[in-house]
Amino acid sequence: MSIRSLFVFVVLTIICNLTYAQNGAAFFKGYPVVAHSDTLFFIKNKLGSLSAAERAERTSAKVEQLAEDLLFVSDSLITERDSSLIAIAYKGNVMMSLSQADADSVKMDREVMAKAYQEIILNNIDKYKKETDLTELLKRAALGLLIISILGMCIYFLNKYSNRFNAWLRVKLHAKISGFKIKNYELINSKTEMLIIRKLLNLIKILVIFILVYLTLPIVFRLFPWTKPWSDSLIGFVLNPLKNIFSAIIDFVPDLITIGVVVIVFQYLKRAIKFLATEIEAERLNINGFYPDWAKPTYNIVKLILNAFMLVVIWPFIPGSDSGIFKGVSVFLGLLISFGSSSAISNGVAGMVITYMRPFKIGDIVKIGDTTGAVQEKSLLVTRVLTFKNELITIPNSAILSGNTVNYSSMANQNDLIIHTTVTLGYDLPWNQIHELLIDAALASEGVIKEKQPFVLQTGLEDWYVCYQLNAYINNPKRMPAIYSEIHKNIHIAFDAAGIEIMSPHYQAIRDGNASTLQNTVVMTKGES
């Protein structure tokens, strides 16, 4: 076989390997006959009791054994034909036999196929003998030493000039490097930055040296037939992963296109829903029974559902999604989220329920539990309330859903809000005078609606005093503390002017049997013993 024919054979073998790697098991090439780390040809069919794999293994062993024969004569390797087989034999020892089925499997004439295989075996043996000739080995050893010497010189000069380059770079960059800052915080000072640059350059030098050594070793190993498999292994460590990555990328392209189409469709669907939500929130689009403040949370819920559905659709197309590791990590993350976010999920569900219950909106004055103030923020998990003392209180939504909420703003905006306060006074004071004084005090207070008459309710007739409840109308619940203070001040002023002491008396009665309780009462006020 000529050099050109051998080169064509090698190229065809490489192309077949790449094609087979890309197409998987689309076709079966057969079992390779390998001698001295070279693949000679393939055997696809069995012969007699021998399988194709056994035939390939036996032929490989006989070729390598023949190459070790010091008295080998190439003219003695001949082809012999009988009625059904053509044998390639050496001095009566059959190397291999070829049947008509072997010829049909490669679509060649059986005699032409036998001659081609004979020539391939002769070329392999001749190449091996030349490579193992003492003179050739000495030449190759000298060439190997030369290559190693060149490698050593390259490493020496690389190390020498890299050190000089580092010194020159430190001098040049010393005045220019000022460290790395984020606003006013110095994350890396100039000294540390210079150290990082020096370490990075040393790392690059080590990487270059490693690449040079890694490229040199296969060349040296390939000089000798015994170390040639080592060379193939070193090259395979790099080429096989690259070939696998390239094949995986080629195979992933259709799935990637599918994923891209699905993502684009869902993106435009979410944009359309967001547009509708924006129109509803801006009250340009009205839907009966659907409030504008529902638009944004509803969009967020729909977006979450669409994203989850999109992930379900593209999941089978993600590389490695059907692997055991991928499934194990997915189950672990699911369990982690389930056990670690139970309270967050309950708050999230409560937040959605509160959104559609509409008990309050941003800016409303509310009372949630013991907290009274203006609603500052409504989120999926918590609600934040700014109290009258300028305190920002964060309340979990689950606590709001399980308790009572008082909204002062909702009624104040519609029918005005009624605020009330209570005083307790003795039975000896005229109730009509008390009513008049309380109503006058309310009307004199700033913030109370004058158009709606305040009123007084007597809410209790206790053993020693009467409970008078003053009710007044206001329309600005944000000023409730100030209005309450103003009403209490005016009540104090009005009762002082009328000579009435605001106290709750305690009565002790001494009965003589027939006298009225009112005529024989000794009044003991608070502070008397």
Side-chain angles (χ1 to χ4, degrees):
M1 178 181 287
S2 64
I3 299 297
R4 182 177 179 182
S5 300
L6 184 61
F7 176 76
V8 172
F9 178 77
V10 172
V11 171
L12 289 176
T13 303
I14 294 174
I15 294 175
C16 290
N17 287 335
L18 290 175
T19 305
Y20 181 77
Q22 294 179 8
N23 295 310
F27 62 91
F28 177 64
K29 295 186 300 181
Y31 296 95
V33 175
V34 180
H36 310 115
S37 302
D38 289 335
T39 301
L40 306 183
F41 42 81
F42 295 89
I43 296 177
K44 293 184 178 182
N45 305 291
K46 68 176 184 177
L47 183 64
S49 61
L50 296 176
S51 64
E54 291 174 335
R55 291 179 64 197
E57 185 178 355
R58 288 166 62 94
T59 304
S60 300
K62 288 185 177 182
V63 171
E64 290 187 348
Q65 183 181 2
L66 185 60
E68 299 295 336
D69 188 354
L70 298 178
L71 301 177
F72 172 75
V73 179
S74 58
D75 293 340
S76 299
L77 186 66
I78 59 175
T79 58
E80 299 176 346
R81 179 170 184 171
D82 59 17
S83 58
S84 60
L85 300 174
I86 294 181
I88 301 175
Y90 178 75
K91 295 181 180 181
N93 183 19
V94 176
M95 304 289 296
M96 68 175 301
S97 299
L98 298 174
S99 64
Q100 186 61 42
D102 293 326
D104 293 339
S105 63
V106 294
K107 298 181 180 180
M108 293 179 62
D109 181 74
R110 190 167 52 166
E111 293 185 358
V112 175
M113 180 181 180
K115 291 292 183 181
Y117 283 5
Q118 177 191 9
E119 188 173 358
I120 291 173
I121 293 172
L122 288 173
N123 286 332
N124 180 266
I125 295 174
D126 182 62
K127 178 183 176 183
Y128 175 76
K129 286 188 171 296
K130 288 181 179 179
E131 289 177 347
T132 55
D133 181 70
L134 181 60
T135 304
E136 182 67 21
L137 289 176
L138 292 175
K139 290 180 181 179
R140 290 173 180 261
L143 181 60
L145 291 175
L146 178 62
I147 294 173
I148 294 175
S149 301
I150 294 174
L151 174 64
M153 293 177 61
C154 290
I155 294 175
Y156 170 77
F157 284 111
L158 177 63
N159 186 63
K160 177 180 178 180
Y161 287 105
S162 65
N163 294 333
R164 292 184 179 180
F165 177 75
N166 289 343
W168 173 82
L169 189 63
R170 285 198 299 270
V171 174
K172 289 294 183 180
L173 297 180
H174 181 72
K176 296 181 179 180
I177 290 180
S178 58
F180 182 75
K181 294 183 178 181
I182 300 177
K183 293 184 178 180
N184 296 327
Y185 175 70
E186 186 177 28
L187 184 63
I188 301 175
N189 56 32
S190 57
K191 184 178 179 180
T192 305
E193 187 174 358
M194 181 62 70
L195 180 63
I196 292 174
I197 293 175
R198 188 167 69 250
K199 294 289 185 182
L200 183 61
L201 291 175
N202 289 335
L203 182 62
I204 293 174
K205 180 183 71 175
I206 294 173
L207 182 62
V208 171
I209 292 174
F210 176 78
I211 293 174
L212 288 176
V213 173
Y214 198 89
L215 292 178
T216 303
L217 287 178
I219 297 175
V220 175
F221 289 155
R222 192 164 284 275
L223 294 175
F224 307 97
W226 304 284
T227 57
K228 188 178 178 182
W230 299 353
S231 173
D232 296 337
S233 298
L234 287 175
I235 295 175
F237 290 154
V238 176
L239 293 184
N240 289 338
L242 292 177
K243 182 174 68 175
N244 294 335
I245 292 172
F246 177 76
S247 301
I249 292 174
I250 295 299
D251 294 337
F252 180 59
V253 167
D255 294 338
L256 182 62
I257 295 174
T258 303
I259 292 174
V261 171
V262 172
V263 170
I264 291 173
V265 169
F266 275 89
Q267 283 296 113
Y268 277 100
L269 184 58
K270 287 186 287 187
R271 287 185 182 182
I273 296 174
K274 184 178 181 180
F275 172 76
L276 293 176
T278 304
E279 293 296 305
I280 295 174
E281 187 177 21
E283 299 185 9
R284 290 189 291 268
L285 176 63
N286 296 320
I287 299 177
N288 292 332
F290 194 92
Y291 298 95
D293 55 340
W294 287 356
K296 187 174 180 179
T298 302
Y299 165 70
N300 291 331
I301 294 172
V302 173
K303 183 175 70 172
L304 179 64
I305 295 173
L306 288 176
N307 286 336
F309 187 67
M310 179 181 68
L311 182 61
V312 171
V313 172
I314 68 176
W315 185 272
F317 301 100
I318 299 176
S321 59
D322 56 344
S323 65
I325 296 177
F326 205 100
K327 294 177 181 177
V329 172
S330 302
V331 172
F332 173 74
L333 292 177
L335 292 175
L336 191 64
I337 293 173
S338 298
F339 290 114
S341 60
S342 57
S343 61
I345 293 174
S346 64
N347 284 324
V349 173
M352 288 189 290
V353 174
I354 291 172
T355 297
Y356 292 99
M357 285 174 56
R358 303 181 75 243
F360 49 77
K361 59 181 181 293
I362 301 296
D364 282 356
I365 304 299
V366 298
K367 181 179 181 181
I368 302 173
D370 296 330
T371 302
T372 303
V375 178
Q376 294 291 301
E377 179 186 350
K378 290 194 308 180
S379 66
L380 186 65
L381 301 179
V382 297
T383 298
R384 291 183 172 86
V385 177
L386 184 65
T387 67
F388 295 118
K389 301 296 185 182
N390 210 30
E391 302 166 328
L392 189 62
I393 308 297
T394 300
I395 305 173
N397 286 332
S398 58
I400 298 175
L401 191 63
S402 61
N404 297 324
T405 300
V406 179
N407 191 331
Y408 297 107
S409 298
S410 60
M411 293 308 298
N413 296 330
Q414 299 176 17
N415 299 316
D416 299 326
L417 177 67
I418 298 176
I419 62 173
H420 60 274
T421 186
T422 301
V423 295
T424 56
L425 299 167
Y427 285 94
D428 57 327
L429 298 174
W431 64 267
N432 50 355
Q433 183 185 9
I434 303 301
H435 283 214
E436 183 179 353
L437 290 174
L438 290 174
I439 291 172
D440 290 342
L443 292 174
S445 301
E446 184 180 356
V448 174
I449 299 175
K450 307 301 188 292
E451 291 77 12
K452 290 189 176 183
Q453 181 71 14
F455 58 93
V456 179
L457 300 176
Q458 293 179 209
T459 59
L461 298 175
E462 306 298 334
D463 291 339
W464 304 313
Y465 51 80
V466 181
C467 297
Y468 297 93
Q469 184 187 80
L470 172 62
N471 295 267
Y473 293 89
I474 67 171
N475 55 13
N476 188 2
K478 294 181 180 179
R479 296 191 65 244
M480 275 198 304
I483 296 174
Y484 268 115
S485 177
E486 183 76 9
I487 290 175
H488 292 156
K489 181 190 72 173
N490 290 333
I491 290 174
H492 194 183
I493 293 173
F495 276 67
D496 284 351
I500 299 175
E501 194 175 13
I502 305 176
M503 302 187 74
S504 301
H506 290 180
Y507 286 89
Q508 290 182 352
I510 300 176
R511 304 293 299 273
D512 61 0
N514 295 317
S516 172
T517 302
L518 293 177
Q519 294 174 351
N520 296 279
T521 301
V522 178
V523 179
M524 298 181 65
T525 61
K526 290 180 180 178
E528 294 181 345
S529 60

